[in-house]
Amino acid sequence: MGTSDTGIRGKILAVCSLLCLVLGVVLAWQSWAQDDERRRALVMTVDGAIGPAISDYFQRGLREADERNAEIVIVQMDTPGGLDASMRDMISAMLGSPVPVAIYVSPSGSRAASAGTYLMYGSHVAAMAPATHLGSATPVQIGGGGGSPFGGGDEEPDGGGSDEGSGEETSQGEGNNGGNEQAGDEQAADEEQAKPKASPRRGETAMERKVLEDAVSYIRSLAERHGRNADWAEAAVREAVNLTANEALERNVIDVMARDIDDLLTQIDGREVVMESGERTLKTQDLAIVRFDPDWRTKLLAVITNPNVAYFLMIIGFYGLIFELSSPGSLVPGTIGIICLLLALFAFQVLPINFAGLALIVAGLGLIVGEALMPSFGILGIGGIIAFVIGSVILMDAENLRISIPLIGGIALLAAILMLWTMTRFMGLRKRKPRTGQEELIGARAVAVSDFQGDGRVRLHGELWRAHAAMEVRKGDELTVVGIDGLTVEVAPVDEASRSSESP
C-alpha cells in the first residue's frame, strides 16, 4: 500500500516538473521573441506619386512597426510628388509615431520631388543614396493649366550649388596690381549694384500668395523641428530649386548619404532624433530587416484612384445606367454601371476634381444621349462632344495626376461614332415606308366588293371600307389606296396609281 502511494506521488511530481519546464520554455521564448521584435527595422517602399493609396499604406506600416516594437521604420522612396492632402496626412502620422522614421531616397537615380521634399523634411532621419536628388517643392495650382508654378517670374531657378561660391575671393590679385584691380573691383561692384535683384516669388493673386506662404511656413516649421536647412527649404518652395545628394549633405538638408540600407543603419547608430515625447537615441546596429511591402489593398486603391481608371469607371457607369433605363429589366448594364459609378465617386472623393469639368462631362454625355433619343441632325451631338472633351481636359489638372489625352480622344471618338451611327439609322428610318397609322394605308392594295362609280365599298386589310373612285370600278378589281379622307379611302386602279407615283 505504501509502495503504491509512493509511486503515485512520484508520477505526480514528475508531471509537475515537466509542466514547469514547459512553462519556463514558453516564457523564455516569449521574452526572446519580444526582444527580437525590438531589434528589427521595418522597411517600406514608396514608388510613384503620393496619393490616398500610398498614404493608407504608409500609416498602416507605422502601426505595424509599433505593434512589432520595431526600432526604426525605413521608407525607400522614389516619387515625383503628389497630393497635398495625402502628404500632410503622412507627415502628421510620422511626427506622431512612437517609432522613428527614416526617409531614404534610393536606389540611385531616384528622386524626392515636390511632396517628397516635404516628407524628407518631416522625417526623423533624412537620407539619400548617391546619384539621387530632391527639390522642386513649389505647389502647383490645381486647374492652372500645368504651366510654371503660379505663373511666376522669368528668373531662372537656382540650380542648387552655385549661389554659395558666387561671391568668394573676388580680390585674389589684390596685392599684385593694386590700383588697376581696385578700380576694376569698384566698377564691377557698381555694375552689380545696378543690376535688378530678383525678389522672392510671392504669387500673383491673393489665392496664390496664400497657398505659397502656407507651404513655405509648413516646410520651414519641419526644418526647424529637425534642425535642417530652413532657408534652402524655402527656396525649394518659392523657386523650385533642386539639390543632388552630395549638395544636400553639404547644405544640411539631409542627415546621411548611404549606399544601401545596411550602410544607413550603421551610420545612424547612436544619432539623436526629435520625437513627439522628446529626444531619443537610435540603436540601429545589427538590426534584422523586415519588409512591409504594399499588399493587394494598396494596389487596388492605387488602381482605383488612378485618374485614368477613375475617369474610365465614370464613363462605364454612366453608359451602364443609360442602357439600363433605355431597356429596363436587362439588369446586367445597370449592375455594372452602378458598381463602376460608385467606385468612380470614391476615387473622385480623394482626387483633386475640378467640378466645372465634371459638370461639363455630365452635360456632354447627356447631350450625346439626347441626340440618340431626339435627333437634331447633329446639333446636340456635336455640342455634347465639345463639352465632353473640354470637361475631360480640365477635370484633373494637378501635377502628376492628369487624364491621358489619348484616352480622352479615344472615348470622344467612340461617342462620335456612336452618334453618327444613330443619325444614319434615323435617316434610314425616315425614308422607310410607314407600317402603322393612316400613313401605312397609302399604297396599300384593296379589292372592290361591288360595281360602283364614285362612292362604293372595298375590302382593305380584311375590313370593309368606304371608297371613292374617279372612274368606273368592277367587282373584284384590284385597286390601290392613293389618299384618305376621314373614314373614306381614295382608290385608283393599280396601273394608274403606279404611273402617278412614278411621275415627278
Side-chain angles (χ1 to χ4, degrees):
M1 191 71 175
T3 304
S4 176
D5 292 341
T6 301
I8 292 174
R9 284 196 296 270
K11 290 179 181 180
I12 293 175
L13 290 174
V15 171
C16 291
S17 300
L18 181 61
L19 289 175
C20 291
L21 179 63
V22 171
L23 181 60
V25 170
V26 170
L27 293 176
W29 179 84
Q30 287 182 345
S31 176
W32 172 83
Q34 290 178 356
D35 182 70
D36 185 61
E37 288 287 346
R38 294 190 192 98
R39 302 296 303 157
R40 295 191 178 191
L42 189 74
V43 178
M44 294 190 289
T45 303
V46 173
D47 187 6
I50 303 298
I54 295 297
S55 176
D56 175 78
Y57 162 66
F58 179 78
Q59 294 181 55
R60 286 191 295 115
L62 294 185
R63 290 193 294 269
E64 181 75 12
D66 186 23
E67 293 173 0
R68 293 190 179 192
N69 294 321
E71 180 69 23
I72 192 170
V73 174
I74 300 176
V75 181
Q76 286 186 283
M77 187 168 65
D78 179 13
T79 178
L83 295 180
D84 177 78
S86 300
M87 173 200 74
R88 290 178 183 258
D89 289 342
M90 294 172 67
I91 292 177
S92 297
M94 186 160 44
L95 295 179
S97 171
V99 182
V101 179
I103 300 292
Y104 179 39
V105 184
S106 70
S108 296
S110 301
R111 57 178 171 167
S114 191
T117 302
Y118 289 83
L119 290 169
M120 290 283 288
Y121 268 88
S123 63
H124 302 99
V125 177
M128 298 176 71
T132 57
H133 68 278
L134 81 164
S136 296
T138 306
V140 177
Q141 183 182 16
I142 295 174
S148 61
F150 299 115
D154 296 332
E155 69 272 14
E156 299 216 351
D158 191 313
S162 60
D163 57 343
E164 286 189 319
S166 59
E168 291 181 356
E169 302 184 8
T170 57
S171 58
Q172 292 178 354
E174 189 176 8
N176 296 330
N177 299 318
N180 294 334
E181 290 294 334
Q182 184 176 0
D185 289 343
E186 291 177 356
Q187 183 179 3
D190 293 339
E191 292 178 355
E192 187 67 25
Q193 291 178 359
K195 292 181 180 179
K197 295 183 179 180
S199 60
R201 179 174 294 160
R202 302 292 181 184
E204 295 182 354
T205 66
M207 178 57 68
E208 291 172 358
R209 287 193 293 273
K210 286 173 62 177
V211 173
L212 187 59
E213 296 301 329
D214 176 72
V216 168
S217 299
Y218 187 54
I219 200 167
R220 286 192 71 94
S221 67
L222 296 175
E224 292 168 0
R225 176 187 175 96
H226 297 291
R228 302 193 181 110
N229 191 331
D231 293 334
W232 183 88
E234 181 174 350
V237 175
R238 293 192 185 278
E239 306 299 333
V241 297
N242 289 266
L243 287 179
T244 63
N246 288 321
E247 294 170 338
L249 185 62
E250 291 173 1
R251 294 193 175 198
N252 190 31
V253 173
I254 63 172
D255 305 313
V256 177
M257 186 172 69
R259 298 184 307 273
D260 51 33
I261 292 179
D262 292 333
D263 185 25
L264 172 63
L265 293 174
T266 301
Q267 291 192 52
I268 65 177
D269 184 48
R271 175 179 289 273
E272 298 254 343
V273 295
V274 179
M275 305 294 294
E276 189 178 30
S277 57
E279 292 189 353
R280 175 174 172 177
T281 303
L282 298 179
K283 299 177 181 179
T284 58
Q285 192 70 32
D286 300 325
L287 291 181
I289 296 176
V290 178
R291 291 272 177 184
F292 184 74
D293 295 324
D295 55 6
W296 66 269
R297 172 179 171 176
T298 302
K299 294 176 181 177
L300 178 62
L301 286 175
V303 170
I304 294 175
T305 54
N306 182 294
N308 294 316
V309 175
Y311 174 76
F312 196 63
L313 287 172
M314 179 190 68
I315 300 299
I316 294 177
F318 186 86
Y319 277 115
L321 293 181
I322 291 297
F323 291 151
E324 180 66 30
L325 293 175
S326 61
S327 57
S330 53
L331 298 182
V332 174
T335 303
I336 296 176
I338 195 65
I339 292 174
C340 292
L341 198 58
L342 289 175
L343 290 175
L345 291 176
F346 167 77
F348 288 165
Q349 178 185 350
V350 295
L351 288 172
I353 295 298
N354 185 327
F355 289 100
L358 184 61
L360 281 172
I361 291 176
V362 174
L365 292 174
L367 290 174
I368 292 172
V369 173
E371 177 67 36
L373 301 178
M374 186 179 61
S376 62
F377 299 99
I379 296 177
L380 291 178
I382 294 174
I385 291 176
I386 293 174
F388 174 80
V389 171
I390 295 176
S392 300
V393 171
I394 69 174
L395 179 63
M396 280 178 276
D397 199 24
E399 189 178 14
N400 307 308
L401 291 172
R402 297 187 179 96
I403 299 175
S404 171
I405 296 298
L407 177 62
I408 296 174
I411 294 178
L413 180 62
L414 183 63
I417 292 174
L418 179 62
M419 182 189 68
L420 183 62
W421 176 81
T422 303
M423 291 176 58
T424 304
R425 293 284 296 173
F426 272 112
M427 290 178 65
L429 291 175
R430 290 176 66 90
K431 294 180 180 179
R432 187 177 298 176
K433 181 181 176 181
R435 296 185 178 180
T436 59
Q438 290 186 346
E439 292 80 5
E440 185 267 340
L441 296 177
I442 304 298
R445 298 296 174 90
V447 179
V449 297
S450 62
D451 299 338
F452 65 90
Q453 184 175 4
D455 295 333
R457 290 185 177 273
V458 296
R459 185 174 298 278
L460 176 63
H461 292 339
E463 300 173 341
L464 290 177
W465 283 75
R466 290 198 300 267
H468 177 79
M471 74 292 296
E472 185 178 355
V473 177
R474 299 290 182 184
K475 181 180 179 180
D477 285 352
E478 191 171 351
L479 306 170
T480 300
V481 177
V482 295
I484 303 176
D485 182 15
L487 296 178
T488 302
V489 294
E490 296 285 342
V491 295
V494 175
D495 296 337
E496 183 178 341
S498 60
R499 284 196 303 269
S500 63
S501 61
E502 291 175 0
S503 62

